[in-house]
Amino acid sequence: MPKKIIHEFKVEFLQILDEAGRVDRTLWPALDEKEVKGFYEAMLLIRTFDEKALNLQREGRLGTYASVQGQEAAQVGSATALRPSDWIFPAFREPGVSLLRGLPMRMIYQYWSGDERGSAIPEDQHDFPIAIPVGTHIPHAVGAAWAAQFKGDPVAVATFFGDGATSKGDFHEGLNFAGVFRLPIVFICQNNHWAISVPLSRQTASATLAQKAIAYGFEGIQVDGNDVFAVYTAVKNALEKARRGEGPTLIECFTYRLSDHTTADDASRYRKAEDVAAWRKKDPLVRLRALLEREYGWSEADEQTLRRQAQERVAAAVHEFEAVPPANPEAMFDTLFANLTPDLLRQKEQLRKRLQKKERD
Amino acid sequence: MSKLNLVQAINQALRHEMEKNPDVVLMGEDIGPDGGVFRVTEGLIDTFGARRVVDTPLSESGIVGVAIGMAAYGLRPVVEIQFMGFLYAAMEQLISHAARLRTRTRGRYTCPLVVRTPYGGGIHAPEHHSESTEAFFVHTPGLKVVVPSTPAEAKGLLLSAIRDPDPVIFLEPSKIYRAIKEEVPEGEYLIPLGEARVVAEGKDVTLIAWGAMLHPTLKAADQMAEKGIEAEVIDLRTLSPLDSATILRSVEKTGRAVIIHEAPRTCGLGAEIAARLCEEALLSLEAPITRVTGFDTPIPLPKTEKYYLPDVDQIVEAAEQVVGF
Ligand SMILES: Cc1ncc(C[n+]2csc(CCOP(=O)(O)OP(=O)(O)O)c2C)c(N)n1
Ligand SMILES: [Mg+2]
């Protein structure tokens, strides 16, 4: 019996817009000027939202917040490719995706301020709430994709997670189910190279994260995660494939977390300033702006107008967020089950009496 | 002796034991160069190297699972789970394996591992970062559960936990990580597991607490003292095995018991303590055993968590009701 190779694998990498803002026309996804500018507008809005969140946190108006700076292209590219009827299952660093899906910006601030009402997703949206326990939402996304397939609905599911999440059993179990049942799902891994202070080299000995899909019997692709066109193209293709019933895809967006892990973190303890500086040069906004300037006559005045508009939108959302009446503590009982149990009724009454007494004192 | 907070005291205990015992290995997420998200392992990687202070892949089940194998082979793994809310992925490893390796093999293999994890509310943390589910672990035969309430206690209990021949869940109340400083004995300092501590003596009512809740309980006792009520305060410090003898002795004297925990009420550890008192001290009781606890809901997010957590007023009110019964 000869020894022979019975399988060989390859992993593709996709980049359309390079660091200098030049486009590979052979791979261009046929977007018009309005669409290209729309991408930039969305990315700038997310950056502005994020900078404001960091300020609000410093002023004590938000709790711990996980900044998304550096990952705007990964989020805009994928969110734009999704249809409203598709479902998404985010981790905790996808405010950009949530915003583009139509979640009111106020609610995102509300959630990070420590108010459950920020997770009360509007009825017309197919978005799951944020998942704080890393990777735990991946099987939920798989289950929803299965249900969509079961019901014959023409929808796909996308789930977002980080490089750290690929170490969790949930990730592997989710991908395995998706492969076995050929489910209409796209796994979007934002490989930002860090899981708090733990570098990618401590999550895997694999050359890429994309190749993990191969073991589960489907395609994985790595894209330049700071190139909004590459992300858009890969996610769009994968969603169409899913909707055609041709199964799942894993997309590794190769990107970088420019900020601290959260406002509770100090990344200077564990990573070099030079490394961050090198990635700043690859900032997804900078390269898209360079393209706009070169090919679409984007001027400083256009830039300033757009920035002002973004700031106005963010300011309006902050205003709404701060105008929300204080959370009612009694609400903690109300949505635990469909109906209040006798114990919960009693406990709610206790709390009400306690609050009344406090008011009297 | 030097004045340390709880974080520093645990750090000192880890350092002490790692110096003494080359088989002690630390594993967890962000415990290396970052020193842990609460800085408990700060500087240990500089002294002991990345071979003994190991940043692992992000996998709680993996961390606990490999620690079981390491422990059985002959190392003394001390793992850090970043928050109690992330320990749940490792439940199968803990319940099905760590807790019963010794008894399944009739003593052939043992599992001397320590799982350290911050727990409890009141730190304005995001979702899943304020859990207090100690009862899950107490309910698991084969696990020991330890909760320190002060820096010196933390050191003495952790050294005993690491030297214990069986698996220990070591719950660190994050609310008081930096809230209290006290003298912590240097070098060897051991507090045996399984012994509760009578923190204040009194004859009118017994207040039983542990971890962060000990502190509002002590304040409540002070307030009651001003009104002439003498409360005896017990810090359980080991939840499993539970020191029934100390609790019984106290309640036989006072005839009254209030149990305080921030965990949800139903099937919280208070229920077990109340049951034991009913079984063994019924004739000493002069009032119903009372619990001051969290509600049977998940702990709310920061905006409303203070309405969930027991406070000094509630403890005083409950204790006065019991005394006036
Ligand atoms: C199960 C679990 N373990 C630990 C944590 C604490 N934690 C929060 S985020 C994080 C790192 C996540 O890294 P990654 O998946 O790469 O996502 P990123 O933060 O980079 O977006 C850790 C360890 C958690 N939230 N959940
Ligand atoms: Mg990451």
Side-chain angles (χ1 to χ4, degrees):
Chain A
M1 286 279 258
K3 218 165 134 184
K4 57 183 181 180
I5 291 170
I6 55 168
H7 266 303
E8 275 182 307
F9 303 104
K10 59 178 178 17
V11 181
E12 279 183 352
F13 173 81
L14 179 66
Q15 183 192 57
I16 299 174
L17 176 70
D18 72 10
E19 285 165 39
R22 280 181 305 254
V23 154
D24 182 336
R25 285 291 161 195
T26 61
L27 298 169
W28 181 247
L31 295 160
D32 64 23
E33 177 173 340
K34 197 161 156 262
E35 288 169 312
V36 172
K37 287 186 176 165
F39 279 157
Y40 188 61
E41 190 182 323
M43 282 161 62
L44 193 69
L45 180 68
I46 296 167
R47 181 70 57 97
T48 311
F49 156 85
D50 192 89
E51 283 165 351
K52 186 68 190 177
L54 293 173
N55 281 335
L56 291 171
Q57 193 280 335
R58 272 191 287 273
E59 293 164 4
R61 296 195 277 171
L62 291 193
T64 305
Y65 170 73
S67 166
V68 67
Q69 285 178 40
Q71 299 177 214
E72 292 89 347
Q75 307 207 355
V76 169
S78 41
T80 310
L82 284 157
R83 292 181 186 161
S85 53
D86 294 333
W87 283 56
I88 68 152
F89 289 74
F92 48 83
R93 204 187 294 285
E94 282 80 34
V97 177
S98 300
L99 277 175
L100 295 193
R101 294 279 292 174
L103 190 70
M105 195 183 287
R106 159 188 58 85
M107 288 181 66
I108 306 179
Y109 286 134
Q110 219 176 345
Y111 176 79
W112 292 105
S113 79
D115 182 340
E116 282 83 358
R117 289 173 295 179
S119 289
I121 310 291
E123 288 289 339
D124 57 347
Q125 269 181 261
H126 306 300
D127 295 22
F128 239 48
I130 280 170
I132 295 280
V134 168
T136 48
H137 57 300
I138 298 173
H140 311 161
V142 172
W146 199 346
Q149 184 196 60
F150 184 95
K151 294 197 169 211
D153 293 338
V155 302
V157 172
T159 180
F160 296 83
F161 49 88
D163 43 304
T166 64
S167 295
K168 284 287 299 281
D170 300 299
F171 166 81
H172 297 274
E173 291 159 0
L175 265 69
N176 192 41
F177 270 67
V180 167
F181 296 104
R182 253 172 102 84
L183 299 175
I185 183 165
V186 183
F187 298 97
I188 302 172
C189 176
Q190 294 181 81
N191 172 7
N192 64 9
H193 286 79
W194 292 94
I196 311 188
S197 73
V198 181
L200 181 63
S201 58
R202 272 291 156 100
Q203 302 300 345
T204 187
S206 301
T208 69
L209 294 173
Q211 73 200 61
K212 298 197 180 254
I214 294 167
Y216 298 108
F218 56 90
E219 184 193 2
I221 176 174
Q222 189 185 71
V223 304
D224 180 340
N226 288 8
D227 165 4
V228 71
F229 304 116
V231 176
Y232 171 76
T233 303
V235 175
K236 192 162 183 289
N237 290 343
L239 286 167
E240 280 164 7
K241 170 181 136 187
R243 291 195 205 96
R244 284 197 306 270
E246 291 167 23
T249 310
L250 169 63
I251 298 173
E252 173 187 359
C253 301
F254 202 76
T255 181
Y256 197 78
R257 193 193 81 210
L258 290 175
S259 304
D260 293 334
H261 168 70
T262 64
T263 50
D265 176 47
D266 172 9
S268 70
R269 293 172 64 88
Y270 54 78
R271 66 181 189 183
K272 293 203 222 60
E274 303 98 86
D275 294 350
V276 183
W279 273 95
R280 281 208 179 275
K281 296 207 183 97
K282 306 183 195 188
D283 187 322
L285 275 82
V286 171
R287 71 171 78 168
L288 185 51
R289 183 176 169 182
L291 175 76
L292 288 177
E293 285 170 356
R294 180 170 325 104
E295 304 209 3
Y296 300 92
W298 190 253
S299 66
E300 184 56 33
D302 291 331
E303 179 75 17
Q304 290 315 323
T305 308
L306 196 64
R307 279 177 193 251
R308 204 174 41 250
Q309 283 167 357
Q311 266 151 13
E312 281 165 11
R313 251 194 86 179
V314 168
V318 172
H319 187 75
E320 280 175 45
F321 155 61
E322 305 223 298
V324 170
N328 175 9
E330 289 171 36
M332 76 173 91
F333 299 100
D334 294 339
T335 46
L336 195 60
F337 296 110
N339 299 305
L340 278 174
T341 62
D343 274 347
L344 289 176
L345 263 174
R346 204 165 32 243
Q347 294 183 7
K348 186 176 175 183
E349 191 51 34
Q350 270 171 15
L351 176 61
R352 186 191 321 239
K353 285 204 181 114
R354 201 188 291 161
L355 293 172
Q356 281 167 353
K357 184 163 176 288
K358 278 228 161 80
E359 222 160 76
R360 278 198 307 273
D361 292 350
Chain B
M1 292 240 273
S2 45
K3 280 203 156 193
L4 303 179
N5 64 28
L6 212 104
V7 167
Q8 294 163 327
I10 296 170
N11 182 281
Q12 193 190 84
L14 292 170
R15 184 176 287 280
H16 177 82
E17 205 54 15
M18 291 182 82
E19 270 160 7
K20 251 186 102 98
N21 182 353
D23 288 335
V24 174
V25 173
L26 311 188
M27 284 195 299
E29 294 158 14
D30 307 288
I31 66 165
D34 198 33
V37 294
F38 286 104
R39 309 287 177 249
V40 173
T41 54
E42 174 124 54
L44 296 178
I45 191 166
D46 303 323
T47 311
F48 301 103
R51 191 169 150 267
R52 292 182 68 197
V53 181
V54 188
D55 270 338
T56 65
L58 201 171
S59 167
E60 286 73 13
S61 163
I63 294 169
V64 174
V66 302
I68 292 170
M70 284 179 165
Y73 191 95
L75 294 180
R76 287 272 163 165
V78 179
V79 312
E80 175 175 306
I81 297 297
Q82 210 158 75
F83 287 88
M84 187 182 217
F86 307 135
L87 184 50
Y88 304 152
M91 285 305 230
E92 180 168 44
Q93 292 296 346
L94 283 175
I95 297 173
S96 302
H97 298 292
R100 50 183 100 172
L101 187 61
R102 180 190 290 277
T103 187
R104 280 178 64 220
T105 60
R106 291 298 180 257
R108 166 65 177 86
Y109 289 111
T110 61
C111 192
L113 79 88
V114 176
V115 176
R116 300 180 29 246
T117 191
Y119 92 110
I123 56 165
H124 310 292
E127 274 183 298
H128 310 286
H129 288 69
S130 304
E131 303 282 293
S132 183
T133 45
E134 62 272 27
F136 292 165
F137 304 96
V138 176
H139 188 65
T140 301
L143 294 181
K144 294 186 178 176
V145 183
V146 175
V147 185
S149 60
T150 75
E153 292 280 307
K155 175 168 179 185
L157 290 166
L158 184 55
L159 287 189
S160 296
I162 300 174
R163 292 181 199 178
D164 196 272
D166 289 302
V168 179
I169 310 295
F170 192 84
L171 302 175
E172 302 170 2
S174 42
K175 168 126 174 108
I176 55 169
Y177 259 148
R178 294 175 187 278
I180 321 157
K181 274 199 164 191
E182 69 175 2
E183 300 285 345
V184 175
E186 265 154 42
E188 283 284 295
Y189 178 59
L190 290 148
I191 297 172
L193 304 190
E195 291 182 13
R197 172 173 72 118
V198 178
V199 187
E201 290 194 27
K203 59 174 179 28
D204 298 325
V205 56
T206 302
L207 308 181
I208 302 160
W210 53 93
M213 280 294 133
L214 179 69
H215 300 280
T217 303
L218 286 170
K219 280 207 189 95
D222 285 346
Q223 284 188 14
M224 288 155 61
E226 286 167 20
K227 301 182 198 167
I229 302 170
E230 287 177 34
E232 178 141 305
V233 179
I234 296 179
D235 174 9
L236 283 185
R237 60 186 186 182
T238 299
L239 309 187
S240 176
L242 194 59
D243 181 1
S244 284
T246 298
I247 300 171
L248 284 171
R249 208 176 307 123
S250 176
V251 176
E252 275 161 9
K253 175 174 73 175
T254 63
R256 298 172 163 89
V258 178
I259 305 148
I260 300 102
H261 60 66
E262 62 180 279
R265 187 176 192 81
T266 299
C267 283
L269 193 60
E272 173 64 26
I273 297 167
R276 291 190 190 198
L277 288 171
C278 290
E279 284 164 354
E280 298 183 50
L282 188 65
L283 297 180
S284 308
L285 288 174
E286 295 184 40
I289 302 158
T290 298
R291 289 176 289 167
V292 179
T293 68
F295 295 117
D296 288 331
T297 73
I299 182 166
L301 285 181
K303 290 278 189 206
T304 50
E305 73 172 328
K306 70 167 187 239
Y307 300 105
Y308 179 94
L309 293 168
D311 61 16
V312 177
D313 289 353
Q314 289 172 54
I315 301 169
V316 170
E317 192 186 313
E320 287 182 351
Q321 256 172 29
V322 165
V323 171
F325 181 78

